[in-house]
Amino acid sequence: MSAKQKALAWGMGILAWINLLSVLVSTWQFGYVDWTTVRHMGMIALPPLAVGGLLLYLFRPVAERDRRVEKPSTARVAGARAPLGAER
C-alpha cells in the first residue's frame, strides 16, 4: 500500500468513524435513533467515500513485473575525477 493510499484510507476511515460516533452519541444522549437524520448523514458522507474508493483504485501500486528497471549508465561524465585514494 502506497503512502497516498494510506493517507486516503485514513481520511475515509476518519469520516466514517465521525458519522458512526455521532449516531452512537446521539442514541446514547436521546435514547433513540432518528433514522431520517442517519439516512441524510449517510447521503452526505457517501459521495466523498465513493470518490475516496475510486482514488484508492487509481493510486494502487504498479505490479513488480510491469515496472521498468533503470539500467546504470556506463557513459563517463566529462571532467569527472575519481576521489583521492579511490581504486579502479
Side-chain angles (χ1 to χ4, degrees):
M1 189 175 242
S2 69
K4 286 181 186 179
Q5 283 181 313
K6 286 180 186 177
L8 197 56
W10 270 98
M12 291 170 60
I14 289 170
L15 178 63
W17 178 246
I18 287 172
N19 282 324
L20 179 65
L21 193 61
S22 64
V23 170
L24 292 176
V25 168
S26 176
T27 303
W28 173 62
Q29 185 69 30
F30 300 113
Y32 68 96
V33 177
D34 183 12
W35 290 107
T36 305
T37 304
V38 172
R39 186 176 67 240
H40 285 273
M41 288 171 54
M43 294 306 289
I44 291 170
L46 191 61
L49 291 175
V51 169
L54 178 67
L55 290 175
L56 277 176
Y57 175 75
L58 293 176
F59 291 152
R60 69 188 186 280
V62 179
E64 288 295 328
R65 58 182 157 72
D66 293 339
R67 291 187 182 169
R68 288 190 225 155
V69 177
E70 186 176 334
K71 295 180 183 177
S73 176
T74 57
R76 291 184 145 263
V77 178
R81 296 183 184 172
L84 291 176
E87 297 177 18
R88 292 187 182 208

